[in-house]
Amino acid sequence: MDRVVLGIGGNLGDREALLKDAVRHLESKMRIVKKSSIYETAAWGGNSSLPYLNQVVVMETGMSPEEVLDFVQEVEQQHGRVRNERWGDRTMDIDILYFGKQIIHTDRLQVPHPRLPHRNFVLKPLAEVLPDFLHPKNGLSQKELLERCGDTLSVRLWPGT
């Protein structure tokens, strides 16, 4: 079994219900090891207008990285994801942040996620659940990545988590 780390988020619809339902769908084919708290975060990337809810989920799977990618894209579509514009508003976005300690670079998939070190909305929940996990490319822990991140956009704990 491989450990896969997913970043899950969305900023349209009933954000919390969609997030929790997506996690339930992911559980149908993978086993949850850890879940971060849910965070409300400012939109990142310039094309989104509403704040997001984000969470990191650590899972175990027997699927290959490409199979996981296909599965998470299926879960996104089941939750109303429409790919109209990059970094635009969406009901659901699921990114593969890490796949064990593998470094993957294909036309469809880059792991570790290439923008991970630059995004507080990913690093804060990552540092919560995997503070000492070392990034396979730069050797820094998630806690160190968060401390060095220059992203100053708001990331706050969602009430009730």
Side-chain angles (χ1 to χ4, degrees):
M1 296 292 268
D2 287 302
R3 191 166 278 193
V4 61
V5 182
L6 303 175
I8 305 172
N11 73 334
L12 296 177
D14 185 340
R15 301 171 302 164
E16 185 174 2
L18 286 164
L19 194 67
K20 289 178 178 181
D21 194 60
V23 171
R24 278 193 292 278
H25 275 84
L26 292 168
E27 267 187 300
S28 71
K29 291 190 179 182
M30 297 185 280
R31 186 178 78 77
I32 292 181
V33 176
K34 289 182 183 179
K35 290 189 296 188
S36 75
S37 301
I38 296 172
Y39 293 86
E40 185 172 49
T41 64
W44 190 97
N47 294 323
S48 291
S49 57
L50 303 168
Y52 281 75
L53 287 189
N54 287 289
Q55 184 174 39
V56 166
V57 181
V58 181
M59 308 192 88
E60 285 186 343
T61 184
M63 292 187 281
S64 72
E66 293 280 338
E67 289 170 328
V68 170
L69 178 61
D70 290 337
F71 177 53
V72 300
Q73 288 179 342
E74 178 184 309
V75 172
E76 286 177 336
Q77 288 176 340
Q78 290 171 348
H79 290 82
R81 172 71 187 263
V82 178
R83 294 180 184 274
N84 287 334
E85 79 180 302
R86 187 174 192 177
W87 298 325
D89 295 319
R90 63 200 91 171
T91 55
M92 184 57 49
D93 184 36
I94 305 173
D95 290 329
I96 300 172
L97 305 175
Y98 294 112
F99 202 96
K101 294 183 180 183
Q102 294 184 47
I103 296 172
I104 303 166
H105 190 84
T106 69
D107 290 341
R108 293 187 64 214
L109 183 60
Q110 291 183 50
V111 176
H113 192 285
R115 288 175 294 283
L116 180 153
H118 311 290
R119 295 175 165 178
N120 272 342
F121 73 87
V122 173
L123 291 170
K124 186 143 187 163
L126 262 173
E128 177 188 330
V129 293
L130 295 172
D132 301 320
F133 179 78
L134 300 180
H135 189 288
K137 281 189 170 181
N138 63 31
L140 297 173
S141 72
Q142 305 314 291
K143 186 178 174 185
E144 290 170 318
L145 287 170
L146 178 59
E147 290 167 357
R148 294 176 182 206
C149 184
D151 178 5
T152 58
L153 293 176
S154 170
V155 177
R156 65 179 185 87
L157 198 59
W158 181 246
T161 61

